Amino acid sequence: MKKAGEQSTYTVDGDAAVKFKVTSIQVGAPCHFPYDTKNGQIVVVSLDIETTATLAKVQTKTWWTMQEWKAIDANGMTMNGNPVAGVCLAPNEQLPVTIGPAEKANGKLAFDVPAGSGTLIYTAPGAPFGWEWTYPAS
């Protein structure tokens, strides 16, 4: 379980390949473009990501930012995180879809999640573990 501002590290063979942190979570965020939520509310997550040359050791040689997210609502119901960055965020706000070795990026991801509080979970492709951030009700 992580809090906004805490660093997370993905390692390969004991070396840091990706360091990232959720810098903020905005619940009930508006969409910049017309979009009706399918699940209840928009949650926007801001991230800072830095990769190292070690990332070149993974099969894809990239870090995927929009895959492998899921959300769990306050009642314990699990659903796909359903990223909607393309319809809710202006292009200059969006986090790149992939990041290569020895790169830095910052930006936002937006999710259409059930209303109320919940938990967002990110599991890196191929990783046996993930990271979790809770968000409050709007």
Side-chain angles (χ1 to χ4, degrees), residues 91-113:
N92 65 333
E93 294 179 296
Q94 296 176 31
L95 193 65
V97 175
T98 60
I99 302 168
E103 293 182 5
K104 293 179 183 180
N106 60 28
K108 298 177 181 180
L109 295 174
F111 300 93
D112 184 351
V113 297

